[in-house]
Amino acid sequence: MFREVFFKLVPYTAMSKIQLAVVDDHNLFRKGMISILQQVPDFEVVMEATNGQEFIDKLQNQTIDVVLLDLQMPILDGIKTTEIVKAQFPDTKVLILSMQDEDQFVLHLMEIGANGYLLKDTDPEEVEKAIRKVNETDIYFSDFVSKIMLRKMNRKPQQESKIFNYKTDLSEREIQVLKYICEGLTTAEIGDIVSLSPRTVEGHRLRMMEKLGLKNTAGLVAYAIRNNLV
């Protein structure tokens, strides 16, 4: 009863909805995804594009909370698009939807700033969950990505490629905080464990991102995995 009254008093509005974009060069997939997303009451698909360049052009005049982004597209692919979005529109969360399932490929997308990574055969329910998660907390690890992280952590250290070979040293405290971040703990939970205020913990996270040239928490996790810190 209360729930019904509440929603009558506070109906969904354009301001309260999560503003979405779907970028994919396959019309059938793009239109199908839009149709699915439009069934969620607090989702609003306000933009669609067939390639990264078209999306970037449209993004100049429209605020987007979360973009569902394909990788293999003409003109401007998903990797380059992610780099541009994170550099020019850092408040827009990038959720990759792709058929690419190679470990190193997924970790690379995380390092350059993607907030989440889903395969195109993912159930609609998980897509909805991922959108909400990246919009609220900046990062979403699907079971698929979690398994990649576990495989990486269980392997013996290997020679890093030059692309991912970061030489910047982190302090012991920063490494300690990073390990707890990788365990999925919140800023407040980390603060309680290491006897620091949430503000100080957040300061460590931001400094690590700045030191390493990373865009978000997902990049920090990928860095930790690649460099055998967890």
Side-chain angles (χ1 to χ4, degrees):
M1 179 67 178
F2 175 77
R3 186 174 184 270
E4 294 177 352
V5 172
F6 177 80
F7 281 109
K8 287 180 180 178
L9 293 174
V10 188
Y12 288 116
T13 65
M15 290 299 293
S16 64
K17 294 183 178 182
I18 300 175
Q19 307 291 289
L20 302 173
V22 180
V23 183
D24 196 297
D25 62 323
H26 291 93
N27 290 334
L28 186 61
F29 180 85
R30 188 179 70 256
K31 296 295 185 181
M33 180 57 64
I34 291 173
S35 178
I36 291 171
L37 295 174
Q38 287 177 331
Q39 297 178 36
V40 183
D42 58 334
F43 286 1
E44 184 173 15
V45 181
V46 296
M47 185 189 301
E48 61 177 294
T50 59
N51 62 73
Q53 188 59 61
E54 181 184 354
F55 172 60
I56 295 298
D57 291 343
K58 290 182 176 181
L59 200 53
Q60 307 290 336
N61 302 309
Q62 175 72 56
T63 299
I64 296 295
D65 295 317
V66 181
V67 55
L68 279 69
L69 182 66
D70 187 24
L71 289 180
Q72 295 181 319
M73 298 179 292
I75 304 177
L76 191 66
D77 64 28
I79 294 178
K80 292 297 184 183
T81 302
T82 298
E83 291 175 340
I84 293 173
V85 169
K86 289 303 170 180
Q88 299 182 16
F89 309 95
D91 291 335
T92 297
K93 309 297 175 60
V94 176
L95 182 59
I96 300 295
L97 275 177
S98 175
M99 294 305 297
Q100 297 285 346
D101 60 357
E102 294 87 353
D103 292 11
Q104 299 301 311
F105 195 83
V106 174
L107 290 174
H108 178 47
L109 263 297
M110 292 169 58
E111 283 187 322
I112 65 174
N115 302 88
Y117 196 110
L118 298 174
L119 295 178
K120 282 190 172 181
D121 60 358
T122 299
D123 291 336
E125 292 78 11
E126 184 170 9
V127 175
E128 178 183 346
K129 178 182 177 181
I131 290 171
R132 295 189 189 283
K133 193 71 173 179
V134 300
N135 185 62
E136 295 170 2
T137 66
D138 189 55
I139 190 171
Y140 177 74
F141 289 146
S142 62
D143 289 342
F144 162 68
V145 172
S146 296
K147 289 177 182 177
I148 289 177
M149 294 168 61
L150 286 173
R151 284 198 297 269
K152 175 63 178 176
M153 287 187 283
N154 289 331
R155 289 176 190 154
K156 293 181 179 180
Q158 298 177 352
Q159 184 177 0
E160 301 288 341
S161 67
K162 290 184 179 180
I163 296 177
F164 307 111
N165 188 18
Y166 297 105
K167 296 299 185 181
T168 306
D169 290 330
L170 298 178
S171 68
E172 290 185 10
R173 176 66 83 182
E174 288 169 339
I175 292 175
Q176 182 185 33
V177 170
L178 179 54
K179 288 180 178 179
Y180 286 125
I181 289 174
C182 292
E183 292 179 11
L185 300 182
T186 66
T187 298
E189 290 170 337
I190 296 172
D192 288 341
I193 294 173
V194 299
S195 300
L196 294 174
S197 69
R199 183 175 180 179
T200 301
V201 173
E202 179 65 11
H204 282 306
R205 186 183 71 85
L206 294 175
R207 278 193 295 276
M208 285 189 286
M209 289 169 53
E210 183 178 358
K211 277 185 178 182
L212 302 171
L214 300 172
K215 303 297 183 181
N216 57 18
T217 304
L220 282 175
V221 174
Y223 169 86
I225 293 171
R226 285 191 181 279
N227 290 274
N228 303 295
L229 297 177
V230 293

